[in-house]
Amino acid sequence: MNDAVTIDRAAAAAAAAKPIAILPLTLTINGEARELKVEPWTTLLDLLRDKLDLTGTKKGCDHGQCGACTVLIDGRRINSCLKLAVTLDGVEITTIEGMGQPGELHPLQTAFIEHDAFQCGYCTPGQICSAQGLINEGHAKNRQDVREQMSGNLCRCGAYTNIADAVLNVMEKQA
Amino acid sequence: MIRFDYARPGDVAEAVCDGAGDHVAYLAGGTNLIDLMKENVARPLEVVDINRLPLAQITDRDDGGLRLGALTTNADTAYDERVQARYPLLASAILAGASPQLRNAATNGGNLNQRTRCYYFYDVDTPCNKRVPGQGCGAIGGVNRIHAILGASDQCIATHPSDMCVALAALDAQVHVTGPEGDRTIAFADYHRLPGDEPWRDNTLKRGELVTAIDLPAEEFSTHYTYLKLRDRLSYAFALVSVAVAMRLEGDRIADVRIALGGVAHKPWRRTEAEEAIKNERPSDTAFDTAARALLAGAVGQGDNSFKIGLAHKAIVRALNQAAAGTPQSQTDKRIR
């Protein structure tokens, strides 16, 4: 990779002229097994939103800086914008659509409403998936830990203190 | 992102075979490479997905050290009980970096091989000698608040962005690699390089080589250590200056000490003469000032980043005091004591 800083035009043209490879992929998404076909450059985020109509997962920066695209892979939170879908063959993915349903909200969804933990709501699906990941990890013991361990999710409305309250509330109930 | 071929080797030998050739990139956690591909900074024609290789274990070594798999995630490394007990400096440095989501995806090998976050390197509409040899450097004479004060060249003033690597430098880690010409081991100090007149080379890996593991020697640095990271916001930001200190006291004297700096150079910055200067001394601001001077001798500001020289000096003294007192910097409570 180190020396591959340049690419000659002929090689680039050859790349563009290549037939598009479509690769098979098996994922379990929100409990449902899916047999899919993807181009190798499709990110998990784009697969979810554009191909599977799971638009609860949001595209904020698309560069791993904002956390809006956070989903759970085998229970661990990651930025779905920085994962090529094809690399995830066989894993289990949970998105906000798999967390709760209208009328049957996930405890974190209820807590976010109760604590007024959002304004515009765009970052909220990522915040909630991240909070579930934080709880699964089990490293947060207090409010300061929650603030630090939720730092990968930006909220431009600035609802941080209420988000911390909501996450702490669910964490304490589950403890 | 340009189109590329995708390979998913099942073992290391197959991966090295796939990795030979031009314009090939090994893909692990992807947290840096995918981003660089989106920005058209990295344009591999073949991506070799190494995530299925059996390199994700942390194992005890016979000599009392620890072997970190190249594909162990940064999170699994930082929270490993053996790492926390025996190498808390490394755990602390990892947890000072990135976000939980990124640490869950990013791997140890990938952390070593991540590229600079220089704005000009990332922006393909500006000149950058690291991205395109001979194109010029936008940062020299440009906006350079985050850039190097030590070891830079007239072609490149980029810094290495890792926190983890600063701790690995202080711990004298060894990097195991394999490639078309076989296996070899690289001392951590020799792994990354200064830009010189080949700024496109971040490290001393040869073409097609793959990191397989990182060894930590058995050492007694689990009491007197610190990772002090200074940045523009308290979480989820790259270091302006960071200091890793590993120290061993005998009585009231410094028996051994390692000091490595992050955010100031093209590689983690160590100078053994700074360490030798305070061995057998009693911890004191005077001694630590001597070490700071030795570490920063010859530092040059570029304008926007000139503040880093004074900041680094104070950070080194503070970090040495934290280590000597056995009160390492908390990565949760960011107040600096």
Side-chain angles (χ1 to χ4, degrees):
Chain A
M1 203 32 226
N2 226 1
D3 295 325
V5 290
T6 57
I7 184 171
D8 59 71
R9 288 180 186 281
K18 271 183 188 167
I20 296 176
I22 307 289
L23 303 170
L25 172 65
T26 303
L27 295 176
T28 302
I29 302 176
N30 298 329
E32 188 187 341
R34 309 284 293 253
E35 300 290 335
L36 304 163
K37 290 188 168 59
V38 295
E39 296 160 354
W41 42 85
T42 303
T43 61
L44 174 60
L45 175 61
D46 288 344
L47 175 72
L48 292 170
R49 290 183 56 82
D50 298 345
K51 306 276 198 253
L52 303 178
D53 206 25
L54 291 168
T55 53
T57 306
K58 300 304 184 208
K59 183 179 280 197
C61 67
D62 208 25
H63 293 286
Q65 298 175 359
C66 77
C69 70
T70 303
V71 300
L72 300 168
I73 294 185
D74 293 334
R76 292 172 65 129
R77 50 180 164 161
I78 57 98
N79 303 102
S80 63
C81 72
L82 293 180
K83 278 287 176 201
L84 296 181
V86 70
T87 65
L88 299 172
D89 193 32
V91 309
E92 197 162 310
I93 290 162
T94 306
T95 69
I96 191 67
E97 289 90 343
M99 299 277 291
Q101 297 298 324
E104 199 184 345
L105 295 183
H106 185 277
L108 279 163
Q109 291 173 312
T110 305
F112 268 60
I113 293 168
E114 283 175 356
H115 290 86
D116 195 18
F118 54 87
Q119 291 178 43
C120 82
Y122 195 81
C123 72
T124 311
Q127 297 277 3
I128 288 176
C129 287
S130 188
Q132 185 61 58
L134 176 152
I135 292 168
N136 293 349
E137 288 157 14
H139 302 306
K141 306 295 177 212
N142 54 43
R143 184 185 182 84
Q144 205 168 32
D145 293 344
V146 169
R147 289 295 300 264
E148 171 63 23
Q149 292 178 32
M150 287 297 290
S151 64
N153 293 81
L154 304 192
C155 170
R156 295 301 299 273
C157 301
Y160 294 112
T161 56
N162 294 359
I163 291 169
D165 287 343
V167 177
L168 265 173
N169 179 269
V170 176
M171 220 172 79
E172 283 160 6
K173 278 184 194 160
Q174 292 186 357
Chain B
M1 203 181 308
I2 66 167
R3 292 180 190 177
F4 54 83
D5 287 327
Y6 173 81
R8 188 193 295 153
D11 61 49
V12 172
E14 193 186 340
V16 168
C17 195
D18 289 339
D22 295 334
H23 310 305
V24 181
Y26 291 119
L27 174 66
T31 54
N32 188 215
L33 179 60
I34 301 299
D35 193 29
L36 290 168
M37 288 166 66
K38 288 182 182 188
E39 296 282 10
N40 274 325
V41 175
R43 294 181 289 181
L45 297 178
E46 183 179 358
V47 170
V48 179
D49 175 2
I50 57 171
N51 285 293
R52 306 297 162 116
L53 305 186
L55 301 174
Q57 305 297 314
I58 297 180
T59 45
D60 279 296
R61 283 159 43 86
D62 292 342
D63 66 357
L66 209 54
R67 173 162 295 182
L68 310 175
L71 289 173
T72 313
T73 65
N74 288 179
D76 284 345
T77 304
Y79 290 115
D80 183 273
E81 285 178 9
R82 293 160 292 181
V83 173
Q84 296 230 322
R86 284 146 60 184
Y87 305 95
L89 170 61
L90 178 61
S92 183
I94 292 173
L95 294 178
S99 71
Q101 290 98 314
L102 291 168
R103 295 193 296 262
N104 279 344
T107 65
N108 293 336
N111 192 303
L112 265 58
N113 293 330
Q114 65 180 308
R115 313 291 317 264
T116 184
R117 290 336 193 260
C118 172
Y119 344 104
Y120 298 94
F121 175 69
Y122 255 81
D123 183 350
V124 295
D125 293 327
T126 63
C128 172
N129 286 323
K130 185 180 278 299
R131 185 166 21 80
V132 183
Q135 201 178 43
C137 173
I140 296 172
V143 177
N144 49 39
R145 177 175 165 76
I146 65 171
H147 290 78
I149 54 172
L150 288 158
S153 75
D154 60 2
Q155 294 195 27
C156 181
I157 57 171
T159 57
H160 194 266
S162 172
D163 292 299
M164 179 183 188
C165 290
V166 184
L168 291 175
L171 292 168
D172 273 344
Q174 300 269 323
V175 184
H176 293 280
V177 307
T178 188
E181 294 165 36
D183 301 344
R184 65 189 181 111
T185 303
I186 307 170
F188 206 81
D190 299 326
Y191 186 82
H192 296 101
R193 59 185 295 286
L194 294 176
D197 56 7
E198 291 183 308
W200 53 92
R201 293 179 60 215
D202 292 351
N203 54 51
T204 53
L205 282 182
K206 295 176 190 164
R207 184 175 294 243
E209 279 188 326
L210 177 69
V211 176
T212 54
I214 300 160
D215 278 355
L216 302 175
E219 302 279 7
E220 288 300 322
F221 294 130
S222 55
T223 305
H224 295 285
Y225 72 93
T226 196
Y227 188 70
L228 176 61
K229 178 175 178 178
L230 306 177
R231 44 188 153 173
D232 280 329
R233 61 181 182 202
L234 288 177
S235 296
Y236 202 9
F238 290 100
L240 292 166
V241 170
S242 69
V243 189
V245 176
M247 188 184 284
R248 192 164 53 80
L249 295 175
E250 278 175 17
D252 62 352
R253 303 272 176 175
I254 298 167
D256 196 4
V257 65
R258 317 265 183 78
I259 316 165
L261 307 182
V264 297
H266 200 257
K267 61 184 286 188
W269 188 258
R270 261 185 83 180
R271 271 183 178 151
T272 48
E273 57 266 36
E275 298 165 9
E276 292 300 325
I278 58 169
K279 278 183 192 166
N280 303 315
E281 297 287 326
R282 288 191 181 87
S284 71
D285 279 350
T286 313
F288 296 160
D289 188 69
T290 303
R293 280 177 204 284
L295 262 167
L296 295 170
V300 178
Q302 299 284 336
D304 295 343
N305 70 348
S306 299
F307 73 96
K308 281 188 179 184
I309 301 171
L311 187 69
H313 192 110
K314 289 190 169 74
I316 294 163
V317 173
R318 183 65 64 99
L320 284 163
N321 272 305
Q322 288 181 336
T327 53
Q329 177 64 40
S330 164
Q331 301 307 347
T332 303
D333 174 2
K334 305 295 174 66
R335 276 173 295 182
I336 296 166
R337 296 184 167 87

